[in-house]
Amino acid sequence: VESGKAQMVVIAHDVDPLEMVVWLPALCKKMGVPYAIVKGKARLGAVVHKKTATALALTSVKSEDQREFAKLVDTFKAQYNG
């Protein structure tokens, strides 16, 4: 996020200790990166083929997925970044 590469950030709601990710929403807002908080670090882990993940930063999107990605960005901005 700080280097400007992240296009979207997804944060797990059940991170312990919370201090690991509590600063991420503020950084995302400062940098203009859409973010969302989702249920379950196990769900995020499944995306990256790990047991758990506290947060994901999407840095690139395939051209064929741009339309769906744009919809997600709009939804995230409306719900979290507003």
Side-chain angles (χ1 to χ4, degrees), residues 1-81:
V1 176
E2 290 174 322
S3 64
K5 293 179 183 177
Q7 295 181 21
M8 178 187 296
V9 174
V10 185
I11 306 164
H13 87 289
D14 58 347
V15 177
D16 185 44
L18 188 58
E19 289 78 14
M20 288 176 56
V21 295
V22 74
W23 51 272
L24 262 175
L27 178 63
C28 288
K29 283 184 181 182
K30 179 182 175 186
M31 300 296 288
V33 177
Y35 71 93
I37 299 169
V38 298
K39 253 188 177 171
K41 57 187 176 188
R43 283 174 147 182
L44 284 186
V47 173
V48 293
H49 307 289
K50 300 285 182 190
K51 186 175 177 183
T52 61
T54 57
L56 301 178
L58 302 177
T59 57
S60 64
V61 179
K62 293 181 180 178
S63 57
E64 61 265 21
D65 297 327
Q66 283 292 343
R67 177 181 275 153
E68 289 181 51
F69 180 74
K71 288 180 188 176
L72 280 175
V73 166
D74 291 342
T75 303
F76 285 10
K77 283 184 176 178
Q79 292 182 359
Y80 297 97
N81 300 63

